[in-house]
Amino acid sequence: MTNPMWTQDSRLTHRRLGIALWLLIGSFATLVPGGPIETRDFSHLSSAVFWGFNIVLLLLGLSGLAVSYGAWQGKRWASWGAIPIFWLYLAVFVLDWAQVFPPTPDAMGLGLGLVECFGAMCCAYGLVFAHRALTESV
C-alpha cells in the first residue's frame, strides 16, 4: 500500500536512496579479505581484531540492507537510519585511505582503491538523497 502523501518526486528520492545503499553494500561485499580485490595480508592482526572488525562491517551491511528496504517502501525512519550508515561507511574508507585501520604492510591495490572511491561516491549521493527524502516527506 502506498502512502497517499507521496509525490512522484518523493517516491523517486526514496528509491534512489535505497539504490545508493544497495550499490554501496554490494560493492563493499566484493572486498572479502583474500579475494580478488582485497589482496592485502592481515595475518599480523590478532584474530580478535580481525574478526571484530569483520563483524562490525557485517552488522553495518545488514543494517544497511534493512534500511534500504525501508527506503524502498518510503519509510521516514529509513532516511534517518541511512544517514549514520553512510557516515560510518565513509569513516571506514577514510581510515583505510589514511592507513590508520586496518594497518597493513601491503599497499592498497588499484582495484581496492577504485571500489572504495565508488563506495564513497555512493555515500555522498546517499546522504543527499536521505536529506532530500526527509525534507520531501514533511
Side-chain angles (χ1 to χ4, degrees), residues 2-73:
T2 59
N3 184 342
M5 297 300 292
W6 265 28
T7 64
Q8 188 64 25
D9 289 341
S10 176
R11 181 173 310 189
L12 185 60
T13 301
H14 281 87
R15 298 276 166 100
R16 286 177 176 166
L17 174 59
I19 291 169
L21 280 162
W22 291 339
L23 289 173
L24 172 63
I25 295 164
S27 67
F28 205 82
T30 66
L31 303 180
V32 176
I37 298 174
E38 176 56 278
T39 58
R40 297 179 292 179
D41 179 24
F42 297 105
S43 62
H44 63 286
L45 296 176
S46 72
S47 63
V49 170
F50 179 79
W51 287 109
F53 183 59
N54 281 305
I55 288 170
V56 168
L57 294 178
L58 178 65
L59 292 174
L60 187 57
L62 292 174
S63 300
L65 287 175
V67 168
S68 70
Y69 177 76
W72 196 260
Q73 298 298 316

Side-chain angles (χ1 to χ4, degrees), residues 103-123:
T104 179
D106 305 326
M108 179 182 288
L110 176 64
L112 175 60
L114 291 173
V115 170
E116 287 190 0
C117 285
F118 176 76
M121 289 188 312
C122 288
C123 289

